């Protein structure tokens, strides 16, 4: 049949079940077990088939089934859960903090809405959910990819095959966004020779609305409709188009909705073009470019997520000229003035870096773990070459996970019984984690979750082998894979080479010895490689090949199509969570936090979040914090450390079982893991820290607007600052025996009046171990003088500089070293 169109007949629910529709269109159900159970009970088979999508479930369920539920207690339960949702929303009507727009290229809310690729998207989803729980004044902006991210199939040879499935918005918990007249809302973004029109869908995540842009509209040409088809579509030009839609289109959507956020949070650099659009708006209001840039920066926050250079988008300048050349004249400066905001010098030429743009248009920036903050300051030091690396204005907010999304409902109920009612209200409060009461019942639940994981693994491997046409014998083997009683180690993440999924195979003989030794142990692997990441795909195939070569398929299983559903099964059913990145390439990592929530112990390299979480009693460390001279040396050292920890610590401790059926020492380590990881590495704690940054951003935005004349005068006088000199009087090399270091300095040149309130002469002292201290010198007899007494013995270096502090941020922004 020649298709003329697509229609969707919405279900006519019986009156007592009308509340199901309201529940279906708020993703609150995705972290409320009672709500999810209502939908699952309607038809368990359809619920699983549609990946837990309640809208699709209600479209496809047999109406007779709904009628059959009316004579039971089901309608009363619907009303009870609906009242709980309404009470949840009512409690959050009074919002906390300034209105903040949160921009992300991907969101991982639930497996039924596959517009996420991995950790970045799931982190964004957790951020929004925690913001809803805490009642933050947040609005999300993203893209609805109508083909989503790919489903992964593994061929008989272990090769990854990408499969895309069209997503129909009317079959998802999405509502079309309309204008004030009830018509579909439209905003336009100028592309070469045409305007690309954008619509949007709203997904309600508890108390937070998230708006997802789409170019899949009849007003656009087919090639433009395809821009928002696939998440991370290949090709620099396509990526640029998507990021223009997210940043520029996202800003215009907010304006069309009548929203005026005080703060803009960029989750990675994909949305950094929003800074240019905000510049255009301010210049159109009459602000000169330097002041407009200050106003843009004051209310912006940028979170960087990767220390891997390839993870930071950069575009050729000719591509920028082609797509954004019309923008230059609207920004109150010339082409070079705009390009300077994102310019990056590469060995092959100049490119425009989206991360540089984000940093140059944000007054606040952060990495996603303490170690990643340090790495980011070194990585972006070239943008502030006159500052010391420690002074680069990038801090850190360590990631956290949404407790209620990833903690298994049975454990949630058990924890609530053991910990008491305050725990459910304040899971980020360490005082509520009264873990000492967890014992036999906890272990019984944990064993059942491990068994559920193994059943799912067997079913998935069976389906994979059946699809690939494997023999009946191989299908029967799939039904017996793994041992429900054996120590089960999970490893699941994106397949990138630096994550070293094959590290276990560095010494095949030793690995085989461990797997065939006296302690039963087994591994479950899962993860996707980016479709264009050929080394990552080869790594995945190599892992599968190594397992087969060594005859370990009964003890090591790779499961296809890793998504949020499989992720929950893995973190909830594993005993140990393995993480083997090449330090310091892991920015944070959150899967280990999710596993810890459910009683698994982490076995990880001291990278990302684990570098600050590990205390020697709450899990296991692979190696130490040394970085070796080569990747090969690093891999060999870490592999040997991994084998050592498995043989001498993990396996003996797990199998030191007492009469109660579990190891008391193992359970004590779980207690420590839950006590230290559960509250601190939660999204509630994380978003609470971001709230403080949002409040600071709003305050700086107001301060910048009030200091417009001061900022303009400062920028006009700035060239004079770099003409100033600093003459110093210092003792040079000196050994101190209890006496302070004394220094004097004189500014040479005329200091403009506009600079005087923000000028300091500073003594900068750095200890050999890295601690930094800045001592402002006091005016004295036409110059400046000061002293420094070392707080402890050691080796120090020191220097002196003329520093100009920013009127709004208060940070040292411009310096002249003596």
């Amino acid at each position: 049949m020649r298709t003329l169109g697509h229609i969707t007949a919405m279900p006519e629910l019986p009156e007592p079940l009308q509340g199901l529709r309201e529940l279906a269109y708020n993703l609150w159900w995705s972290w409320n077990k009672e709500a999810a159970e209502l939908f699952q009970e309607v038809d368990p088979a359809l619920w699983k088939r549609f990946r837990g999508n309640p809208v699709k479930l209600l479209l496809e369920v047999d109406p007779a089934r709904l009628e059959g539920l009316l004579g039971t207690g089901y309608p009363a339960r619907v009303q009870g859960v609906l009242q709980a949702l309404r009470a949840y929303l009512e409690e959050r009507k009074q919002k906390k903090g300034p209105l903040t727009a949160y921009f992300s290229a991907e969101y991982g809310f639930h497996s039924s809405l596959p517009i996420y690729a991995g950790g970045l998207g799931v982190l964004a989803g957790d951020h929004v959910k925690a913001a809803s729980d805490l009642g933050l004044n947040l609005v999300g902006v993203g893209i609805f990819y109508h083909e989503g991210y790919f489903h992964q199939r593994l061929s008989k040879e272990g090769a990854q095959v990408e499969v895309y499935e069209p997503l129909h918005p009317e079959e998802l918990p999405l509502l079309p966004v309309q204008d004030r007249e009830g018509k579909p809302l439209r905003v336009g973004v100028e592309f070469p020779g045409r305007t690309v029109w954008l619509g949007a869908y709203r997904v309600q995540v508890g108390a937070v609305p998230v708006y997802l842009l789409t170019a899949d509209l009849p007003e656009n040409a087919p090639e433009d409709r395809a821009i928002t088809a696939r998440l991370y579509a290949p090709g620099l030009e396509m990526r640029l188009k998507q990021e223009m839609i997210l940043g520029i289109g996202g800003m215009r959507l907010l304006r069309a909705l009548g929203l005026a956020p005080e703060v803009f949070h960029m989750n990675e650099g994909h949305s950094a073009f929003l800074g240019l659009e905000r510049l255009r708006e301010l210049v159109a209001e009459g602000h000169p470019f330097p002041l407009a840039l200050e106003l843009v920066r004051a209310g912006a926050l940028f979170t960087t997520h990767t220390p891997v250079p390839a993870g930071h988008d950069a575009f050729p300048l000719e591509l920028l000229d082609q797509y954004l050349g019309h923008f230059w004249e609207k920004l109150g400066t010339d082409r070079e003035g705009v390009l300077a905001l994102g310019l990056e010098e590469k060995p092959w030429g100049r490119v425009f870096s989206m991360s540089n743009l984000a940093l140059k248009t944000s007054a606040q920036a952060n990495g996603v773990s303490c170690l990643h903050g340090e790495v980011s300051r070194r990585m972006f030091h070239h943008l502030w070459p006159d500052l010391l690396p420690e002074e680069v204005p990038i801090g850190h907010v360590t990631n956290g996970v949404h407790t209620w999304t990833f903690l298994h409902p049975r454990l949630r109920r058990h924890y609530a019984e053991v910990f008491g009612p305050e725990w459910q209200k304040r899971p980020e409060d360490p005082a509520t984690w009264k873990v000492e009461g967890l014992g036999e019942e906890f272990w019984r639940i944990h064993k059942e979750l491990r068994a559920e994981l193994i059943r799912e693994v067997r079913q998935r491997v069976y389906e994979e082998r059946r699809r690939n046409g494997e023999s009946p014998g191989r299908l029967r083997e799939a039904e017996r894979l793994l041992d429900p009683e054996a120590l089960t180690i999970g490893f699941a993440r994106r397949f990138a080479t630096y994550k070293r999924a094959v590290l276990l195979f560095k010494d095949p003989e030793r690995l085989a010895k461990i797997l065939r030794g006296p302690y039963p142990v087994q591994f479950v692997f899962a993860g996707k490689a980016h479709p264009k990441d050929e080394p990552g795909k080869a790594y995945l195939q190599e892992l599968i090949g190594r397992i087969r070569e060594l005859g370990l398929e009964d003890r090591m299983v790779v499961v296809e199509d890793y998504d949020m559903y499989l992720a929950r099964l893995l973190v909830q059913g594993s005993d140990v969570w393995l993480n083997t990145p090449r330090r310091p390439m892991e920015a944070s990592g959150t899967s280990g936090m999710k596993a810890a929530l459910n009683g698994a112990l982490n076995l990880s390299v001291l990278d990302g979040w684990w570098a600050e979480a590990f205390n020697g009693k709450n899990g296991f460390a692979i190696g130490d914090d040394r970085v070796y001279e080569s990747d090969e040396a690093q891999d060999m050292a870490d592999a040997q450390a991994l084998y050592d920890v498995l043989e001498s610590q993990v396996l003996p401790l797990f199998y030191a079982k007492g009469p109660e059926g579990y190891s008391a020492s193992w359970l004590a380590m779980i207690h420590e893991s839950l006590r230290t990881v559960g509250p601190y590495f939660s999204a509630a704690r994380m978003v609470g820290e971001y709230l403080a940054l949002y409040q600071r951003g709003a305050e700086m935005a107001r301060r910048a607007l009030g200091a417009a004349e001061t900022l303009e005068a400062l920028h006009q006088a700035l060239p004079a600052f770099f003409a100033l000199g600093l003459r110093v009087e210092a003792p040079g090399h000196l050994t101190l025996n209890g006496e302070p270091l004394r220094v004097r300095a004189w500014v040479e040149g005329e200091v403009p009046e506009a600079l005087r309130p923000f000028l300091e002469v500073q003594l900068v002292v750095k200890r050999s171990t890295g601690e930094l201290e800045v001592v402002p010198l006091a005016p004295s007899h036409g110059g400046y003088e000061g002293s420094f007494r070392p707080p402890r013995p050691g080796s120090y270096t020191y220097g002196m500089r003329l520093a100009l502090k920013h009127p709004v941020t208060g940070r040292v922004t411009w310096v002249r070293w003596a």
Side-chain angles (χ1 to χ4, degrees):
M1 179 181 79
R2 182 183 177 187
T3 302
L4 297 177
H6 181 85
I7 61 171
T8 302
M10 302 305 290
E12 295 182 11
L13 298 175
E15 182 62 33
L17 304 185
Q18 288 286 328
L20 288 175
R21 188 190 309 277
E22 188 174 336
L23 290 169
Y25 281 93
N26 191 316
L27 287 184
W28 175 80
W29 58 259
S30 70
W31 71 92
N32 182 280
K33 180 59 177 174
E34 290 73 21
E37 284 174 344
L38 283 177
F39 293 114
Q40 185 176 20
E41 193 173 322
V42 169
D43 190 318
L46 285 182
W47 180 247
K48 185 170 184 179
R49 177 182 163 193
F50 299 142
R51 297 187 178 91
N53 175 0
V55 175
K56 181 69 170 172
L57 173 80
L58 295 178
L59 281 169
E60 300 296 340
V61 70
D62 186 344
R65 170 58 183 159
L66 294 175
E67 292 290 338
L69 290 169
L70 296 179
T72 68
Y74 187 83
R77 287 168 52 210
V78 170
Q79 287 306 308
V81 174
L82 184 61
Q83 287 173 12
L85 169 60
R86 290 173 176 172
Y88 174 93
L89 297 176
E90 184 65 30
E91 289 171 7
R92 288 155 181 80
K93 274 192 172 180
Q94 294 298 318
K95 301 295 186 183
K96 296 178 185 175
L99 178 59
T100 300
Y102 181 86
F103 281 69
S104 183
E106 52 173 301
Y107 286 96
F109 297 124
H110 190 263
S111 53
S112 63
L113 187 58
I115 56 171
Y116 62 94
L120 175 71
V122 177
L123 184 280
D126 282 9
H127 189 110
V128 171
K129 291 172 183 176
S132 171
D133 289 342
L134 296 173
L136 265 62
N137 196 7
L138 193 83
V139 57
V141 179
I143 293 177
F144 174 64
Y145 304 95
H146 54 268
E147 291 183 15
Y149 199 55
F150 71 91
H151 293 284
Q152 180 196 55
R153 300 289 178 262
L154 296 176
S155 72
K156 193 173 183 179
E157 296 72 34
Q160 173 177 291
V161 178
E162 296 90 26
V163 177
Y164 289 89
E165 296 178 0
L167 302 176
H168 300 292
E170 62 276 5
E171 297 178 352
L172 293 163
L174 304 175
L175 293 170
V177 177
Q178 298 176 333
D179 61 20
R180 291 182 178 85
E181 297 175 0
K183 299 176 182 177
L185 187 144
R186 296 288 185 264
V187 295
V189 176
E190 298 80 14
F191 277 47
R194 77 245 188 232
T195 295
V196 174
W197 294 100
L198 305 172
Y201 298 99
R202 177 171 61 85
V203 54
Q204 192 66 33
V205 186
V208 174
V210 178
Y211 295 96
L212 303 175
L213 294 148
T214 179
D216 187 24
L217 305 173
E219 296 96 315
N220 293 325
E223 59 270 23
D224 288 334
R225 297 181 69 162
I227 295 172
T228 56
R230 296 181 178 182
L231 173 60
Y232 301 140
L236 286 175
E237 187 171 0
M238 179 61 82
R239 183 68 65 89
L240 177 66
K241 293 177 186 178
Q242 289 188 338
E243 296 185 0
M244 287 177 65
I245 283 174
L246 177 60
I248 299 172
M251 279 300 305
R252 294 179 182 178
L253 174 70
L254 291 175
R255 301 311 189 205
L257 291 168
L259 296 174
E262 292 186 79
V263 179
F264 297 84
H265 185 176
M266 292 172 275
N267 188 47
E268 201 43 275
H270 309 114
S271 60
F273 285 136
L274 73 85
L276 297 186
E277 174 64 7
R278 292 180 63 213
L279 270 171
R280 184 195 65 78
E281 292 178 337
L282 288 163
V283 169
E285 292 174 10
H287 298 290
F289 175 78
L291 177 59
L293 182 57
E294 291 284 2
L295 296 174
V296 165
R297 293 182 72 253
L301 167 65
F302 169 51
T303 298
T304 176
H305 284 267
T306 177
V308 182
H312 297 268
D313 288 343
F315 300 109
L317 299 191
E318 55 269 23
L319 202 57
L320 263 291
D321 285 330
Q322 180 184 348
Y323 278 87
L324 287 162
H326 65 280
F327 233 62
W328 312 151
E329 65 182 36
K330 300 175 183 178
L331 299 180
T333 186
D334 57 14
R335 173 182 181 271
E336 292 304 315
V338 179
L339 293 182
L341 296 175
L343 207 59
E344 181 87 62
E345 297 287 349
K346 297 287 188 182
W348 57 87
R350 302 197 307 169
V351 296
F352 190 87
S353 162
M354 295 297 284
S355 294
N356 288 5
L357 175 62
L359 287 165
K360 289 286 188 74
T361 55
S362 301
Q364 300 187 95
N366 67 280
V368 288
S369 70
C370 182
L371 179 59
H372 182 230
E374 295 175 16
V375 171
S376 298
R377 286 189 286 276
R378 292 196 300 270
M379 187 174 190
F380 292 105
H381 184 211
H382 64 281
L383 298 181
W384 293 271
D386 293 330
L387 298 183
L388 296 173
E390 295 84 356
E391 296 178 297
V392 169
I394 302 175
H396 79 276
V397 175
T398 301
N399 281 346
V401 298
H402 188 242
T403 304
W404 315 127
T405 294
F406 293 100
L407 178 61
H408 194 281
R410 291 176 62 192
L411 285 175
R412 177 176 178 173
R413 288 167 182 155
H414 184 51
Y415 289 178
E417 293 170 0
V418 175
F419 299 168
E422 289 305 306
W423 169 74
Q424 296 201 74
K425 298 175 186 175
R426 304 192 316 278
E428 71 279 14
D429 182 355
T432 66
W433 289 76
K434 300 172 183 176
V435 298
E436 295 75 13
L438 298 176
E440 289 188 28
E441 177 63 14
F442 164 81
W443 194 253
R444 185 183 66 80
I445 295 171
H446 177 73
K447 285 182 63 177
E448 291 173 359
L449 297 181
R450 185 201 301 143
E452 284 182 21
L453 168 63
I454 289 170
R455 282 194 296 273
E456 181 76 15
V457 169
R458 288 172 174 174
Q459 180 182 338
R460 285 180 176 236
V461 173
Y462 181 94
E463 290 299 321
E464 175 195 325
R465 291 180 179 180
R466 184 181 61 80
R467 186 189 68 243
N468 288 332
E470 299 202 34
S471 68
R474 290 275 290 166
L475 296 182
R476 287 192 295 273
E477 287 174 7
E479 295 174 334
R480 300 189 298 271
L481 285 174
L482 306 180
D483 177 358
E485 297 296 322
L487 173 69
T488 302
I489 299 178
F491 179 102
R493 50 197 33 87
R494 181 169 58 88
F495 265 80
T497 53
Y498 74 87
K499 293 181 183 283
R500 300 190 299 182
V502 298
L503 186 68
L504 271 165
F505 296 86
K506 203 69 182 170
D507 185 341
E509 291 183 6
R510 192 168 180 191
L511 173 63
K513 179 184 173 185
I514 292 170
L515 285 169
R516 300 304 182 195
Y519 298 119
V521 57
Q522 56 202 12
F523 294 80
V524 180
F525 297 90
K528 296 175 177 178
H530 187 279
K532 293 300 178 182
D533 181 5
E534 296 304 327
K537 292 163 79 169
Y539 220 52
L540 173 60
Q541 194 163 4
E542 179 186 353
L543 172 65
I544 295 169
R546 294 280 189 94
I547 293 170
R548 291 175 179 172
E549 288 169 16
L550 295 173
L552 298 174
E553 285 183 283
D554 61 328
R555 292 283 180 180
M556 302 183 104
V557 179
V558 179
V559 187
E560 66 181 12
D561 207 21
Y562 184 48
D563 66 357
M564 287 184 71
Y565 174 78
L566 180 56
R568 283 197 299 273
L569 286 170
L570 282 161
V571 299
Q572 292 164 359
S574 296
D575 297 297
V576 171
W577 197 255
L578 178 63
N579 191 25
T580 55
R582 185 176 291 117
R583 180 184 166 97
M585 304 300 281
E586 180 89 288
S588 177
T590 54
S591 59
M593 305 173 193
K594 300 161 190 169
L597 265 182
N598 290 280
L601 293 177
N602 278 275
L603 169 58
S604 176
V605 169
L606 289 170
D607 198 6
W609 79 283
W610 191 236
E612 60 194 273
F614 177 64
N615 67 6
K617 299 179 292 183
N618 60 355
F620 308 96
I622 299 170
D624 50 35
D625 59 3
R626 282 179 290 178
V627 176
Y628 287 75
E629 65 276 6
S630 69
D631 289 350
E632 179 60 29
Q634 186 85 56
D635 293 353
M636 184 57 73
D638 288 346
Q640 294 303 326
L642 173 55
Y643 300 138
D644 290 343
V645 173
L646 282 170
E647 288 178 324
S648 65
Q649 297 181 48
V650 176
L651 289 164
L653 193 68
F654 180 83
Y655 283 105
K657 295 182 178 180
E660 60 277 351
Y662 57 83
S663 164
S665 299
W666 187 269
L667 187 63
M669 191 172 275
I670 290 174
H671 286 170
E672 181 70 5
S673 173
L674 284 168
R675 186 185 65 79
T676 54
V677 175
Y680 184 76
F681 295 95
S682 71
R685 184 274 312 158
M686 173 187 75
V687 171
E689 292 186 23
Y690 276 116
L691 173 59
L693 297 181
Y694 296 160
Q695 290 169 326
R696 182 167 185 263
E699 175 58 32
M700 287 195 296
R702 290 190 286 269
R703 201 183 309 154
L705 203 55
E709 290 185 13
T710 300
L711 287 166
E712 281 196 66
L714 181 139
H715 278 281
Q716 288 172 2
L718 201 52
F721 171 78
F722 294 102
L724 297 174
L726 187 66
R727 180 166 56 90
V728 303
E729 185 180 283
H733 299 297
L734 185 68
T735 299
L736 299 174
N737 293 301
E739 291 296 315
L741 166 69
R742 300 184 190 278
V743 295
R744 299 183 69 192
W746 295 265
V747 176
E748 297 179 323
E750 184 64 32
V751 179
E753 190 62 36
L755 304 185
R756 290 183 185 278
F758 313 110
L759 197 70
E760 277 190 357
V761 177
Q762 297 176 336
L763 169 65
V764 182
V765 185
K766 186 174 180 180
R767 196 168 187 269
S768 58
T769 49
E771 296 95 331
L772 187 70
E773 187 157 348
V774 178
V775 182
L777 273 60
S780 175
H781 301 95
Y784 296 83
E785 63 179 36
S787 64
F788 170 77
R789 189 187 301 274
R792 52 181 293 192
S795 297
Y796 296 80
T797 56
Y798 71 92
M800 294 177 67
R801 69 188 183 185
L802 196 59
L804 194 61
K805 290 191 169 184
H806 195 279
V808 174
T809 68
R811 286 196 296 257
V812 172
T813 303
W814 305 276
V815 299
R816 293 275 290 161
W817 288 92

